[in-house]
Amino acid sequence: MDVDLQAFYEKHGFARLHEWTLPPREAGYESVSSLAAQLAPEASRYLEATYPRGLYRHQVKAIRAACQGENVCLATGTASGKSALFFAAGIDTMAKRYKARVLAMYPTRALGGAFRIVAASATIAKPEEHVAKLFGRRFCVVGSEDDTSPRHPTHVEFVALPAGGDLLQAVALLLRHIAGQGHRAIAFLDSRQRVEIIGSILQRQDEEEADDDEAVGRRLRELEQVGILPYRSGYEEADRQAIQRGLTSGTLRGVVSTSALELGMDIPNLDVALLVGVPQSQTSLLQRIGRVGRHGPGHVVILHAQTALDDAVLANPSFLWQRPLTEAVLYLDHRRAQYIHAMCLAGIGGEHDLALNRRPGDSDAFQLSQAVEWPHGFAELCLAERSGQIPPEFETMRIEAGDSPHRTYLLRDMERRFTVELQTANELDKLGDLSVSQLMREAYPGAIYRYMGRCYRVTRVYHPSGKIVVRPEKQYHTKPKTMPPRISPQIDRPGTAVYQAGAGFIIASDLLVHEMVTGFFEYRGRTPRRFDYPIHNDPDLRGVQFDMPMFQRRYVTHGVSFFYPDLPDLDALRRLLLEAYAFVVPFDTQDVAVGTARVNGVRNHSLPQDSRLITLYDRVYGSLHLAARILEPGVLPRVAEQMEAFMHARFWDEIDPDLRPIAKAWVASLRETLTPVGGEAEAAAASEGDSRVRVILPGSFGYVELEGRRFLVDAVFFKPSGLHYRGRYPDDTSHQSCEIQLPVHLVAEMPGESRWGFYDIERGEIIEDSASGTN
């Protein structure tokens, strides 16, 4: 069924900016009988019954390699029939080996043992290198050059929103029209909250309608009629399956999704893909476009979302198809990620024990497979986890994980999870889960939390148990009231790299980031209401309890800071850096941020004291070193080139004319050759000797990661189990008289607040460092 949106565009003020047609491709088939020499009869019968017209040539090539015992990676495009490889290889293996077992996993976690791997992906850059690095084995790769699957024509159009129109309202309006015309659609956005808001809009018949029970019932009935649901990560398994069944069966007219539906799910008979903004990576673009055109002609609408990337495509439309595929980043050497896997694999009763059918009383023999090239340091972490002698840096994670590390930490997310619960008189409903960073944006005390398009008020947040309690609420909207994040580079610690770039400096270092939510704004119409923490007996927030002056999060991460003399602290310059970097090195918009940092109390004399820095940093706890990629060879000059282009195209009017020469000089300095600058931190670390341990001085503050609170150090002392602090939590008014003892490795320094020195274990005395200071 053809999709014609021109009349809709003209009626509502949309404007088509550019359009392309991706050409069709005829199928190239090969008989299943060509595999007779390799396939078991059972597998041949399955393929002949399922694919009476034959197999595509790339399917035949991949199945033949798998049946001959090779590890196979099928790296052909979307909708190219990759599942046939999995089924054929599985049936063939079980038919030939009576006791064989087939394990299907997505995504894949670490494995030990003799097994054969069959993998597939439509958008892997350098697939040979990627799968070899991921699995530590050689693969037979069947790539796009062998792809003979058919492809229907797909019409792609780049469209501008109505002048002055609201983006989310426009998306909902367009989806309603598409569904009303009998078409099935999928819309992609990069924001969980925006996905939920559109879901709420689609439920509402009239925004001004009263919110009584009868109106809510009408809205829910309308939702069933419109048949479009939101979808994102963090949904309960039953809800995810229900949405997926509705999409597969055709009972749903469409879905509004984050990238959660980009990969791995064949949704039949979708007609239209609506992309809100040009995806940051070519991989995402191809995956999203690949959701349509599988069973007939496809139609793709890309809405101009006012980003620098959208502007670049508008200026040069061919750029949309010229970007290379994003090279996947595995983070195999990331220590925190490694330890998450070590807990799941090597812990007592973990995956290793389950795979070998071990019981608690069995002899404790643990050994990783020698057939795999494990990442550096991973085997040692597994043995440490098994013996219970883990490095001190992971003790907090071990405590948080408890007996279920696989539930506490997701595959990629390094943060602990919070579960959302709706408590009623007779039952308890679970409404998904969030990471700590998502908690700060979506589920702070008093926030309107959205789940499948419905609204709930957050009444309690329990940090120790990781639970969020909510109650049903009307269709309001809240936005957190935040302070600018306080970013403290740990420049004086070992591992910091300092470079000179022209008249400026670039510093790659660990950071301590302090984020604060001090209240929120609530929208019940056009005029927002402001609520500040602490909340006390507000009639509009009945049941909401939060007695602290702010809702906060501190975490250690990694970032790259930029110093240039007299560089102004302008929001435009921070956004300029972030957008240019995203243009060159695509990343998830929630994973990397930019802010202002200050240099306080450090020994590196290359930077003036109290210097102001623009800092690009990872928002992922523990850091995935995404921001650090800006210092990879060739990246920074490309970022500088895009900054120059974007500065004149988008940000020029936001910069004071008197400050433009400094901004231009800073951007130009980023093209200069980087010269390493020797730091005093390494020399100081080398001179401390084994008998000295760096500590926070008594009377100064540190940060306890497990508790998420500041800790006032009263004393430093040594006992047989190691060096400890004695102190208290100054913000805990109910236990001010309680003395707390903590190992020193559990209390982190807070640059700008902590005063530090060294504890000489041999002499039992504290030596203050003259360079240590606070604000």
Side-chain angles (χ1 to χ4, degrees), residues 34-321:
S34 64
L35 291 169
Q38 292 83 30
L39 276 178
E42 294 85 349
S44 292
R45 288 196 294 269
Y46 163 77
L47 291 174
E48 288 172 349
T50 308
Y51 304 96
R53 299 180 63 181
L55 295 168
Y56 306 135
R57 284 194 288 272
H58 64 271
Q59 292 174 318
V60 171
K61 185 174 181 179
I63 292 172
R64 179 176 288 116
C67 292
Q68 291 175 341
E70 296 187 60
N71 298 315
V72 179
C73 176
L74 184 55
T76 51
T78 57
S80 60
K82 290 183 284 293
S83 58
L85 168 62
F86 298 141
F87 289 120
I91 295 172
D92 182 75
T93 299
M94 291 188 289
K96 292 176 179 176
R97 297 171 54 198
Y98 176 71
K99 293 185 177 181
R101 297 292 183 268
V102 175
L103 178 63
M105 296 186 302
Y106 181 80
T108 304
R109 290 199 288 192
L111 300 172
F115 54 88
R116 181 159 39 96
I117 303 169
V118 177
S121 176
T123 49
I124 297 181
K126 303 178 181 179
E128 295 88 350
E129 298 178 15
H130 181 85
V131 292
K133 186 176 181 181
L134 178 61
F135 296 106
R137 298 173 178 229
R138 294 181 61 85
F139 275 73
C140 169
V141 175
V142 180
S144 57
E145 67 277 3
D146 298 304
D147 193 344
T148 61
S149 60
R151 184 169 60 200
H152 295 279
T154 299
H155 183 74
V156 182
E157 53 188 29
F158 195 30
V159 177
L161 295 171
D166 179 81
L167 174 65
L168 302 187
Q169 292 284 354
V171 173
L173 182 66
L174 182 53
L175 284 172
R176 279 181 182 273
H177 173 77
I178 292 170
Q181 297 298 310
H183 303 298
R184 301 185 69 214
I186 184 168
F188 284 106
L189 296 91
D190 290 326
S191 165
R192 292 160 47 99
Q193 290 177 294
R194 285 185 165 187
V195 163
E196 291 286 359
I197 291 173
I198 291 176
S200 296
I201 294 173
L202 289 169
Q203 290 185 30
R204 297 202 295 264
Q205 182 174 2
D206 182 352
E207 287 194 49
E208 303 301 325
E209 186 177 18
D211 285 291
D212 54 24
D213 291 339
E214 183 179 355
V216 171
R218 287 197 299 271
R219 290 173 182 174
L220 295 179
R221 289 194 296 272
E222 184 189 8
L223 173 65
E224 295 174 356
Q225 295 170 2
V226 174
I228 301 176
L229 285 177
Y231 188 97
R232 60 168 174 79
S233 64
Y235 277 179
E236 295 295 325
E237 180 66 24
D239 294 325
R240 290 200 306 269
Q241 292 180 354
I243 295 173
Q244 292 173 5
R245 283 195 301 269
L247 289 171
T248 303
S249 65
T251 56
L252 281 178
R253 300 305 305 170
V255 65
V256 186
S257 178
T258 61
S259 58
L261 281 182
E262 273 187 15
L263 305 170
M265 183 177 177
D266 186 11
I267 307 172
N269 302 317
L270 284 177
D271 305 302
V272 182
L274 175 59
L275 280 55
V276 181
V278 177
Q280 286 192 319
S281 74
Q282 195 72 359
T283 299
S284 290
L285 174 69
L286 297 181
Q287 288 286 2
R288 294 179 183 188
I289 287 178
R291 298 302 100 188
V292 300
R294 296 185 171 210
H295 306 279
H299 195 104
V300 177
V301 178
I302 305 176
L303 290 179
H304 192 298
Q306 303 299 315
T307 68
L309 185 54
D310 292 350
D311 287 346
V313 171
L314 181 60
N316 180 15
S318 63
F319 172 75
L320 186 66
W321 313 107

Side-chain angles (χ1 to χ4, degrees), residues 253-542:
R253 300 305 305 170
V255 65
V256 186
S257 178
T258 61
S259 58
L261 281 182
E262 273 187 15
L263 305 170
M265 183 177 177
D266 186 11
I267 307 172
N269 302 317
L270 284 177
D271 305 302
V272 182
L274 175 59
L275 280 55
V276 181
V278 177
Q280 286 192 319
S281 74
Q282 195 72 359
T283 299
S284 290
L285 174 69
L286 297 181
Q287 288 286 2
R288 294 179 183 188
I289 287 178
R291 298 302 100 188
V292 300
R294 296 185 171 210
H295 306 279
H299 195 104
V300 177
V301 178
I302 305 176
L303 290 179
H304 192 298
Q306 303 299 315
T307 68
L309 185 54
D310 292 350
D311 287 346
V313 171
L314 181 60
N316 180 15
S318 63
F319 172 75
L320 186 66
W321 313 107
Q322 293 174 350
R323 295 182 297 172
L325 290 177
T326 306
E327 189 171 348
V329 183
L330 296 176
Y331 314 114
L332 298 181
D333 296 322
H334 191 281
R335 290 272 292 171
R336 190 175 173 92
Q338 282 191 2
Y339 183 61
I340 292 172
H341 288 283
M343 284 192 287
C344 295
L345 175 64
I348 302 298
E351 294 173 358
H352 174 272
D353 290 353
L354 292 175
L356 299 180
N357 198 26
R358 288 174 51 96
R359 299 181 179 180
D362 294 344
S363 59
D364 189 28
F366 176 83
Q367 185 175 1
L368 290 177
S369 169
Q370 300 300 310
V372 176
E373 296 179 7
W374 299 102
H376 177 72
F378 180 68
E380 290 78 3
L381 276 182
C382 287
L383 293 174
E385 172 66 18
R386 192 69 175 189
S387 66
Q389 299 178 347
I390 61 173
E393 61 185 293
F394 299 122
E395 286 190 6
T396 299
M397 295 180 65
R398 176 70 271 175
I399 295 171
E400 287 182 343
D403 296 328
S404 56
H406 58 293
R407 297 183 183 275
T408 305
Y409 299 103
L410 299 186
L411 178 72
R412 179 178 178 276
D413 203 330
M414 308 300 169
E415 302 177 305
R416 64 181 298 207
R417 308 293 294 183
F418 281 72
T419 59
V420 183
E421 297 179 351
L422 173 65
Q423 297 178 347
T424 59
N426 300 319
E427 59 184 9
L428 176 70
D429 291 333
K430 292 188 176 181
L431 302 177
D433 59 78
L434 307 94
S435 67
V436 179
S437 57
Q438 292 165 346
L439 172 70
M440 298 290 289
R441 298 189 295 268
E442 303 175 28
Y444 43 88
I448 297 298
Y449 170 73
R450 296 174 184 270
Y451 186 84
M452 295 186 68
R454 302 180 186 179
C455 292
Y456 303 88
R457 176 81 70 181
V458 176
T459 58
R460 296 277 189 91
V461 178
Y462 295 99
H463 277 278
S465 61
K467 291 185 179 180
I468 302 167
V469 180
V470 301
R471 60 173 168 80
E473 187 55 280
K474 299 177 182 178
Q475 293 282 358
Y476 301 147
H477 174 64
T478 56
K479 180 180 179 181
K481 178 176 173 285
T482 61
M483 299 288 288
R486 183 171 184 173
I487 305 169
S488 303
Q490 297 179 309
I491 296 176
D492 56 345
R493 302 305 300 269
T496 295
V498 182
Y499 305 91
Q500 185 162 6
F505 291 93
I506 300 176
I507 307 101
S509 69
D510 288 336
L511 312 168
L512 180 64
V513 180
H514 184 192
E515 296 176 346
M516 297 166 282
V517 178
T518 60
F520 58 92
F521 296 97
E522 181 160 308
Y523 298 81
R524 302 182 180 182
R526 295 186 179 275
T527 304
R529 287 195 61 188
R530 171 174 164 175
F531 296 92
D532 294 319
Y533 296 147
I535 298 171
H536 293 302
N537 302 319
D538 191 301
D540 290 327
L541 296 178
R542 58 179 178 82

